[in-house]
Amino acid sequence: MEIVLSKQCFSSALARTSSISDRKSSMQILSNVLISTEPNGNVQFAATDLNLSANGVFPAEVKKQGEITLPARTLYDIVRSMPEGMITLKVDGDAVEVSGGRSNFKLLGLPAEDFPSIPEPGDVEFFEVDPGVLADMIDKTAFSISSDETRPHINGALFQGDGKVLRMVTTDGHRLSKIEIKLEQSGFYNFSMVIPNKGIGEIKRMLDDGDDMVLIGAKDGSVFIKRDVEVEKAMDDEPAKKAEFVLVSKLIESEFPPYEQVIPKGQDKKVIVDRNKLFDALKRVSVVSSDRTLGVKFQLTEGSVEISTDNPSIGEGSEIVDVNYDGEAMEIGFNARYFIDVLNVLGDEEVIIELAGYLDPAVVKDIADTFVGVVMPMRI
Amino acid sequence: MPVTPPAQWQRIVIHADMDAFFAAVEQLDTPAYRGKPLLIGSRSPRSVVSTASYEARQFGAKSAMPMVQALQLCPHAIVTPPRMDRYREVSHIIMRVFESFSPMVAPISVDEAFLEMTGAEQIFGTPEQMGKQIKRSVYEATLGLTISVGVAGTMFMAKVASDLNKPDGLTVIEPGTELETLWPMDVARIWGVGPKTREKLVALGLCTIGDVARCCEPYLENQLGKLGSHIWRLSHNLDDRLVIPREEARSIGKEYTLDSDVLGAEAIWPHLRRCANRIARSLRSENLLAKGVRVKLKTSDFKLLTRQGPVEIPTNNAKELLAAAALLLEKFDLNRSYRLIGMAAFQLMEGTCQQELFVPEKLHRQRRLDSVMDAVHKKFGDTALSHGEDLE
């Protein structure tokens, strides 16, 4: 096997696959990336941790057909540090040589036959989603995915479509984020799936540049996400080079909790507040709140909210933020981090916060009414 | 191949104790100290010896002895100040080794711990093989420190055993041989018998553990109070304490010794409910949540039995504690009659007061009811408001 490809393309292929390879696995081959030539002259790169897999066909010059697996991280580090220009990868028996410019590396590979097979989309029915829309949905919800792997049913994002809206919901048991985007084009089928945390992160990475549509389809407990990704920027009169990239994630089998039931309706106190001012005040005040609970108190009165914290081992802090509110006074405690996270992802100038009692959830909404955040209070 | 445990081992407890720990660490880190008498402490006139190496002990120097006296006995000893950070670091390594042998490790100081090994025969082999493996693992993990291990059926016996062949010892007290081992020993070997108590016991003519054992319990209790009864029980190797891991060590419990023995779940239940109510209220007043519940029953012939298990969601609610206790109660022999009923909440965590999203509505209401009832009790007294089912 002998292939020649540009540094940019090689490093783009490895950037997209090496993050999926599993360095901690007891199966050594999972930390490798599979590189195999295609009959039409391009090169396929693939990686898997058995739950999440990625493969893409990247433009290259194939001098001799063949396939090999190489340690993904090491290879990526080598390629990234090479000078701009063409890189040659040559396999001769067990010896793999990577060379470019005046540098030369010899690496140990593992045979491609031992690499686990990557699920093929086959006859999966795909639907199209705008990459900007999907990226926005992930941005606004991924922060509240539970990081607790022992609770698999919330260690991922619920992703649904019902023909009219696309919906993404995440929760960690203390807070919840839901975004619903109305679709201009309609007609694709109903679906509901829970995509694991790591898969969500990788999907986000493949939406980075370009405006090519994303294709999504599910089959046999896995979701396939397909997109043409840019591997080499456009140069002068040459168009950008692209590669067809497919991400396959096993779906979470356990059922997502009944989220509709915990989104309160009929909250009687409605507060409209400048997002940046509240965000900054919370960041400042939480500096002195307890490291572990990050508890802050909201004292709501007509026209203002006072954010305060009292930490016996550090000191106190408080700040008054003007709000649009004319209801009765109330006091409620929250983990500042939960509010900071949700305010951070909302783009609008103002946000709406709806409250009821001091032990009842707070609802955070954007003005466009696509986002609903639920934050459970803390007894302070 | 799995090893069948000798039938007579009802319980296997290991006490593991590092040999002259501080001195051994210094000798490990500084080769020049090896094989030489070494005293850990300072040379100042009022300083005491924190640890003496075995080489210094040959001259009569020992822990807690004034440094001046130790240096008179062993003038050529090297004196070096303690480095507590380093000892804690090594202690951490040793405790990790212990935890690789058992999930139930109760450290009692930086250099000693109890390990509950009951049921681990399938993994580690006979009690003696367990001891050998622990010794080897500690030696390897610390790159050369030795430990003395005692294996027996109770915590008390295991502790006595670990002290019998120091340093680098391994003593296994086979079931049935405990009393013949214990009885010739000096009463000072009993946990809780210091120099003053020993003096009192000797004055009563009780010099060996056997002498104590041959007394009757009420006599000793009369002479020494509660301690007397404790000493008498240990002299018969009666020790039902459990190895409780550190994070579980703190617990809030309540127990009732009954006027007359009770038989059957239905009779036990009201007492458990009383316990649960009291425990839940204490938890709430200290803003704690329990992750585990322990039920304790004492049979009419004074055998203390305990069962413990987790609660579904960390809680300070009586009903939720009771639900966990109900599962535990099934594990007792309910055809026996019991004289004491107790319950404890353990694995306590600080209630962050962070409210949960997906708490079933029923639980939610119960928790609100709790906070209302607590407020009423605070203002009008404990009997002002009760659940109907708690009325007698």
Side-chain angles (χ1 to χ4, degrees), chain B residues 56-125:
Chain B
R57 290 182 195 194
Q58 284 175 358
F59 295 89
K62 52 189 180 188
S63 306
M65 179 182 272
M67 185 62 83
V68 177
Q69 192 188 343
L71 283 172
Q72 277 166 1
L73 291 168
C74 185
H76 58 296
I78 302 165
V79 179
T80 182
R83 293 179 300 149
M84 290 313 294
D85 285 347
R86 171 66 180 144
Y87 306 148
R88 267 192 288 273
E89 183 183 279
V90 179
S91 171
H92 193 71
I93 296 170
I94 298 162
M95 295 301 163
R96 288 293 86 77
V97 172
F98 293 163
E99 282 162 10
S100 69
F101 281 89
S102 168
M104 307 286 273
V105 176
I108 41 179
S109 70
V110 283
D111 65 340
E112 57 178 317
F114 284 103
L115 286 78
E116 179 72 61
M117 299 297 293
T118 313
E121 302 92 325
Q122 299 287 338
I123 309 171
F124 300 111

Side-chain angles (χ1 to χ4, degrees), chain A residues 145 152-160 169 191-197 200 221 223 249-257:
Chain A
I145 295 178
H153 63 302
I154 53 174
N155 186 221
L158 174 70
F159 185 40
Q160 291 180 319
V169 189
F191 68 90
S192 180
M193 55 178 92
V194 185
I195 305 174
N197 201 0
I200 290 288
V223 61
S249 172
K250 278 211 177 113
L251 294 171
I252 293 174
E253 286 171 15
S254 12
E255 203 173 325
F256 198 77

Side-chain angles (χ1 to χ4, degrees), chain A residues 171 173-175 262 292 360 376-379, chain B residues 350 352-358 364 368 371:
Chain A
T171 180
H174 295 145
R175 54 183 166 161
V262 299
R292 209 170 53 79
D360 295 316
M376 287 307 285
M378 244 167 125
R379 221 191 264 261
Chain B
E350 212 177 297
T352 60
C353 309
Q354 173 63 53
Q355 309 290 304
E356 302 271 336
L357 258 176
F358 297 97
H364 219 73
R368 284 187 178 208
S371 69

Side-chain angles (χ1 to χ4, degrees), chain B residues 33-296:
Chain B
Y33 295 165
R34 289 179 200 165
K36 300 204 173 108
L38 179 69
L39 301 170
I40 310 297
S42 83
R43 277 185 185 272
S44 70
R46 304 185 55 180
S47 162
V48 292
V49 176
S50 153
T51 308
S53 72
Y54 281 94
E55 295 83 358
R57 290 182 195 194
Q58 284 175 358
F59 295 89
K62 52 189 180 188
S63 306
M65 179 182 272
M67 185 62 83
V68 177
Q69 192 188 343
L71 283 172
Q72 277 166 1
L73 291 168
C74 185
H76 58 296
I78 302 165
V79 179
T80 182
R83 293 179 300 149
M84 290 313 294
D85 285 347
R86 171 66 180 144
Y87 306 148
R88 267 192 288 273
E89 183 183 279
V90 179
S91 171
H92 193 71
I93 296 170
I94 298 162
M95 295 301 163
R96 288 293 86 77
V97 172
F98 293 163
E99 282 162 10
S100 69
F101 281 89
S102 168
M104 307 286 273
V105 176
I108 41 179
S109 70
V110 283
D111 65 340
E112 57 178 317
F114 284 103
L115 286 78
E116 179 72 61
M117 299 297 293
T118 313
E121 302 92 325
Q122 299 287 338
I123 309 171
F124 300 111
T126 63
E128 188 181 355
Q129 287 166 334
M130 293 175 186
K132 280 188 181 157
Q133 289 173 66
I134 292 174
K135 284 169 64 71
R136 193 174 53 233
S137 301
V138 167
Y139 188 85
E140 284 167 3
T142 56
L143 307 172
L145 293 183
T146 63
I147 190 162
S148 291
V149 168
V151 193
T154 62
M155 287 172 78
F156 168 61
M157 203 61 229
K159 181 152 166 80
V160 169
S162 72
D163 206 30
L164 289 181
N165 290 305
K166 264 183 164 298
D168 202 12
L170 169 60
T171 310
V172 181
I173 308 287
E174 296 286 336
T177 66
E178 294 94 343
L179 299 185
E180 68 193 57
T181 315
L182 271 180
W183 285 7
M185 291 180 180
D186 191 286
V187 284
R189 290 265 187 187
I190 295 182
W191 228 347
V193 176
K196 280 191 182 155
T197 313
R198 183 175 181 277
E199 236 171 71
K200 279 188 206 165
L201 288 168
V202 171
L204 295 170
L206 310 174
C207 300
T208 65
I209 297 180
D211 293 342
V212 173
R214 281 181 289 268
C215 277
C216 64
E217 190 181 358
Y219 169 72
L220 274 174
E221 196 166 352
N222 194 17
Q223 293 290 329
L224 298 166
K226 266 198 169 171
L227 182 64
S229 154
H230 170 77
I231 292 171
W232 184 86
R233 288 180 59 77
L234 290 186
S235 75
H236 285 272
N237 191 31
L238 294 170
D239 179 16
D240 51 23
R241 279 168 303 174
L242 301 173
V243 178
I244 297 170
R246 192 169 14 192
E247 71 268 25
E248 294 179 13
R250 205 176 151 217
S251 65
I252 291 183
K254 182 73 199 158
E255 58 188 48
Y256 295 99
T257 302
L258 310 174
D259 297 337
S260 56
D261 296 356
V262 292
L263 180 72
E266 237 172 81
I268 294 172
W269 197 241
H271 301 290
L272 280 181
R273 193 157 57 217
R274 267 206 291 171
C275 294
N277 282 333
R278 290 290 291 270
I279 294 166
R281 212 184 300 165
S282 304
L283 287 170
R284 290 196 295 272
S285 72
E286 291 191 46
N287 186 24
L288 293 169
L289 297 171
K291 290 197 273 189
V293 167
R294 186 156 47 230
V295 171
K296 184 164 142 182

Side-chain angles (χ1 to χ4, degrees), chain A residues 5-123:
Chain A
L5 64 177
S6 72
K7 179 202 165 182
Q8 244 189 63
C9 178
F10 205 160
S11 114
S12 162
L14 291 169
R16 290 173 193 282
T17 44
S18 66
S19 59
I20 286 162
S21 62
D22 184 358
R23 272 184 296 167
K24 291 185 208 133
S25 170
S26 54
M27 280 173 71
Q28 203 197 332
I29 202 154
L30 295 186
S31 64
N32 283 13
V33 56
L34 170 71
I35 305 174
S36 51
T37 57
E38 296 272 293
N40 64 8
N42 287 330
V43 175
Q44 184 189 196
F45 285 77
T48 181
D49 69 2
L50 300 180
N51 286 314
L52 187 65
S53 318
N55 70 90
V57 178
F58 294 80
E61 183 193 341
V62 176
K63 293 201 162 163
K64 198 173 164 200
Q65 298 280 342
E67 53 181 6
I68 187 74
T69 81
L70 288 168
R73 195 70 221 179
T74 313
L75 185 60
Y76 182 37
D77 288 343
I78 289 173
V79 169
R80 260 197 315 184
S81 61
M82 291 265 225
E84 291 301 324
M86 301 309 278
I87 297 175
T88 306
L89 187 144
K90 202 165 152 187
V91 183
D92 190 6
D94 288 341
V96 181
E97 199 179 322
V98 181
S99 52
R102 301 174 78 171
S103 25
N104 190 287
F105 295 86
K106 288 200 171 59
L107 293 174
L108 296 172
L110 288 171
E113 303 91 82
D114 297 343
F115 199 77
S117 69
I118 292 189
E120 292 283 340
D123 56 354

Side-chain angles (χ1 to χ4, degrees), chain A residues 34 75 116 127 129 144 158 181 199 204 220 275 302 358 360:
Chain A
L34 170 71
L75 185 60
F127 59 88
V129 179
S144 58
L158 174 70
I181 305 290
K204 179 70 204 326
D220 302 337
R275 183 180 64 92
E302 219 178 289
Y358 77 104
D360 295 316

